[in-house]
Amino acid sequence: MEYFGPDDLEEDTCVKVAGVDVDGMLRGKLMSKEKFLSIADDGFGFCSVIFGWDMHDQTYFRELKISNKENGYRDVLAVPDLESFRRIPWENNTAQNVPFVLVDFLDPETNKSIAACPRSLLKSVMKKLYREGVFAMAGAEYEFYHFKAPDSSGPAKSLREKGIGALQPLTEGMFGYSLTRPVHNQAYYYDIYNMCRSFKCDIESWHTETGPGVFEAALEFCPITEMADRACLFKYLAKSIGIKHGITPCFMAKPREGMPGNSGHMHISLVDDKGKNVLSRTEPDKEAKWPDIEYLSDIGRHFLAGLLDGLPDIMPMVAPNVNSYKRLTENFWAPVTVSWGLEHRAASIRLLAPPTTGAGSTRFEFRVGGADANPYFVLAAIMAVGWRGVEKKLELTLPPLSKKEDVGGASDTGMRLAKSLKEANERFMRPESIAREVFGDDFVDHFGGTRQHEIKLWDEAVTDWEVRRYMETV
């Protein structure tokens, strides 16, 4: 990434800064250039309440350690990451686009990262690999719906006053990989692509997916910590560009009943300090337990075993919302069990390796996460449990899904993944959870506490479905 100094802001009057909360949302502000330069090295105070409230700014029903009434919702230290510098191509203040920098959150008393800071969590996981001379590359694929904004007031008001029916899909019907559908909204379509290049969130491919108004963006492969930044910033970009075109992009996991959901697949490969892929073998292992792993290295097999072993315990990190589990149901191209297979798109973990791809492209596609998940937490979870498998030299015991089998078939012997956020969070927070082993109690207690808040709100909600079904008849 580009590093900048004071001279690079010579023609600017302001800088936009933002950090990431546990829901993957950017929380930030615009500050004067003078203010920014004065805090660029040592950081500035940022209200910790962003770790004490939910995505709608409602404080958590249970007081959590980082931010609460007892500590007065004190400030935490926000330290700019100058390597994250880029300019916002759709916002102009002077002759140049507005500068933008991400921040990390530290405890002001210890000067250490706070447990719930998403960027810091991923960095801390990766330090374990760096010490062993191993690095990770990643790519993100986001499917997301698009709706026509009913009026200039935006979707929030329309949803409150008119309900979900007021938001009409950008295009009708099911037409994945269509070359003609994007022509209807080509100004938006090309704005997204071009702005991503200017915002350092480069798109590798961009196309329609199956579903009304659904598009998919595959972000260009890069080092894993940078990919997490790009994935987070891509959502910010898509929503900002959508506002200008009267379009509402939607990243929730399952916006429409009876339709496929929005996935957030992550591709992961491990490389050495020279960039050589360490997941692959140069020659096939004819004694491999299954043909699927003939070309997968020992470290790759241990990493895969770690993923499979830890997956049930990290589910809230990859499926963090009540709605996430509406996507993870049978018959909608979404994984529902602990499963894997070579080039198997129904499995939780799809292995891409020779002979179907080159050795240098050997990787895992993690298919459980939805587009609603926090990319830092998804990538941190993948790396933490995968590397645990390497450290413990875990062996693969679960057979791959047969090519002819879907999830739930005769060859699918893996555990059924949690069917609800409540079930997932109880496993995540239990004392013997693998999540506690790899992330520590402070993170699990905080993030699990935020999910308990989400579950409580859902338990108390009266849904439209309930009213339609029971109001007249019971």
Side-chain angles (χ1 to χ4, degrees):
M1 290 303 297
E2 181 179 353
Y3 177 88
F4 78 100
D7 291 345
D8 294 292
L9 300 178
E10 185 176 354
E11 297 183 27
D12 295 288
T13 61
C14 58
V15 179
K16 187 168 282 191
V17 297
V20 186
D21 69 13
V22 296
D23 291 300
M25 294 167 52
L26 289 166
R27 302 278 190 169
K29 62 176 74 175
L30 189 71
M31 59 172 57
S32 70
K33 177 175 70 174
E34 293 75 20
K35 172 66 175 177
F36 177 80
L37 292 176
S38 73
I39 56 85
D41 293 329
D42 298 326
F44 62 99
F46 200 114
C47 184
S48 67
V49 74
I50 65 167
F51 293 103
W53 63 22
D54 65 15
M55 63 182 70
H56 288 279
D57 294 2
Q58 180 178 339
T59 54
Y60 298 125
F61 78 90
R62 182 165 67 83
E63 295 280 88
L64 301 176
K65 185 175 178 180
I66 295 173
S67 183
N68 52 58
K69 291 179 182 178
E70 186 176 342
N71 66 23
Y73 298 101
R74 65 172 185 167
D75 278 0
V76 291
L77 189 62
V79 180
D81 178 357
L82 299 182
E83 292 187 359
S84 70
F85 167 70
R86 62 240 301 145
R87 291 182 179 275
I88 305 174
W90 61 90
E91 290 189 15
N92 296 291
N93 181 47
T94 59
Q96 297 196 88
N97 297 124
V98 174
F100 178 90
V101 177
L102 289 164
V103 303
D104 294 319
F105 295 108
L106 309 182
D107 185 310
E109 295 179 2
T110 65
N111 224 38
K112 294 181 179 179
S113 300
I114 64 172
C117 175
R119 296 187 85 235
S120 299
L121 186 75
L122 177 57
K123 290 177 183 178
S124 70
V125 170
M126 292 309 302
K127 285 179 182 177
K128 294 182 180 180
L129 281 76
Y130 298 157
R131 286 195 291 266
E132 303 298 325
V134 178
F135 304 83
M137 303 291 288
E141 297 174 349
Y142 281 131
E143 298 170 351
F144 55 112
Y145 279 68
H146 292 79
F147 297 99
K148 299 174 185 176
D151 54 55
S152 59
S153 63
K157 182 180 179 182
S158 294
L159 286 171
R160 184 175 65 252
E161 295 180 353
K162 304 174 185 177
I164 189 67
L167 295 178
Q168 297 301 309
L170 191 62
T171 58
E172 297 294 335
M174 317 286 273
F175 200 169
Y177 300 99
S178 169
L179 296 183
T180 56
R181 285 292 168 87
V183 176
H184 295 288
N185 303 279
Q186 61 179 307
Y188 169 78
Y189 184 73
Y190 285 104
D191 251 7
I192 291 286
Y193 181 83
N194 293 327
M195 291 296 181
C196 277
R197 292 185 66 85
S198 299
F199 199 44
K200 298 186 171 77
C201 290
D202 297 51
I203 287 179
E204 191 174 86
S205 66
W206 175 224
H207 60 87
T208 64
E209 251 296 352
T210 185
V214 182
F215 287 72
E216 178 178 324
L219 303 184
E220 199 171 272
F221 220 53
C222 67
I224 193 167
T225 52
E226 173 60 22
M227 177 49 62
D229 285 345
R230 292 185 184 188
C232 179
L233 294 175
F234 174 75
K235 295 182 184 181
Y236 168 50
L237 180 150
K239 293 176 181 180
S240 298
I241 301 304
I243 290 170
K244 292 179 178 291
H245 290 274
I247 293 170
T248 300
C250 174
F251 292 90
M252 69 182 289
K254 186 85 165 183
R256 293 295 199 195
E257 180 182 341
M259 291 287 179
N262 286 329
S263 68
H265 299 161
M266 295 291 180
H267 291 249
I268 303 289
S269 65
L270 302 182
V271 298
D272 62 20
D273 57 2
K274 294 181 176 60
K276 181 182 178 182
N277 193 310
V278 299
L279 296 178
S280 64
R281 291 179 184 273
T282 54
E283 298 294 332
D285 176 8
K286 296 303 182 182
E287 297 183 359
K289 195 171 184 179
W290 301 286
D292 296 55
I293 56 172
E294 281 186 345
Y295 286 91
L296 188 63
S297 68
D298 289 347
I299 191 174
R301 295 175 186 181
H302 295 320
F303 192 92
L304 176 56
L307 276 176
L308 298 171
D309 188 45
L311 177 55
D313 286 18
I314 59 166
M315 282 299 291
M317 297 179 71
V318 301
N321 301 309
V322 169
N323 179 257
S324 304
Y325 297 83
K326 303 288 186 179
R327 170 181 163 264
L328 299 175
T329 57
E330 287 81 0
N331 303 319
F332 278 106
W333 287 77
V336 298
T337 61
V338 176
S339 52
W340 69 281
L342 179 67
E343 282 289 4
H344 207 306
R345 279 188 162 85
S348 293
I349 314 295
R350 174 188 171 212
L351 171 62
L352 292 92
T356 59
T357 190
S361 299
T362 302
R363 63 192 186 275
F364 300 111
E365 181 187 15
F366 184 82
R367 297 177 57 82
V368 180
D372 60 330
N374 182 332
Y376 299 95
F377 286 171
V378 175
L379 292 171
I382 293 170
M383 297 309 301
V385 297
W387 193 249
R388 173 180 174 271
V390 174
E391 289 180 325
K392 292 180 175 291
K393 292 187 170 16
L394 297 183
E395 296 294 335
L396 283 169
T397 57
L398 182 70
L401 281 181
S402 167
K403 289 292 189 298
K404 298 179 181 180
E405 291 277 0
D406 206 340
V407 288
S411 71
D412 185 5
T413 59
M415 177 191 297
R416 177 58 163 88
L417 295 174
K419 294 184 178 182
S420 69
L421 180 59
K422 184 175 183 178
E423 179 186 344
N425 202 50
E426 287 174 350
R427 186 177 179 98
F428 175 74
M429 294 191 74
R430 76 194 201 284
E432 65 273 24
S433 169
I434 291 173
R436 289 192 183 276
E437 178 185 336
V438 296
F439 293 116
D441 290 337
D442 284 348
F443 172 75
V444 171
D445 289 340
H446 181 90
F447 186 62
T450 71
R451 297 311 92 186
Q452 288 174 334
H453 172 85
E454 200 76 8
I455 293 161
K456 183 175 186 292
L457 293 179
W458 169 247
D459 286 344
E460 294 172 353
V462 177
T463 67
D464 291 347
W465 183 90
E466 292 169 283
V467 173
R468 290 195 305 268
R469 187 165 184 85
Y470 303 123
M471 179 175 280
E472 178 190 2
T473 56
V474 298

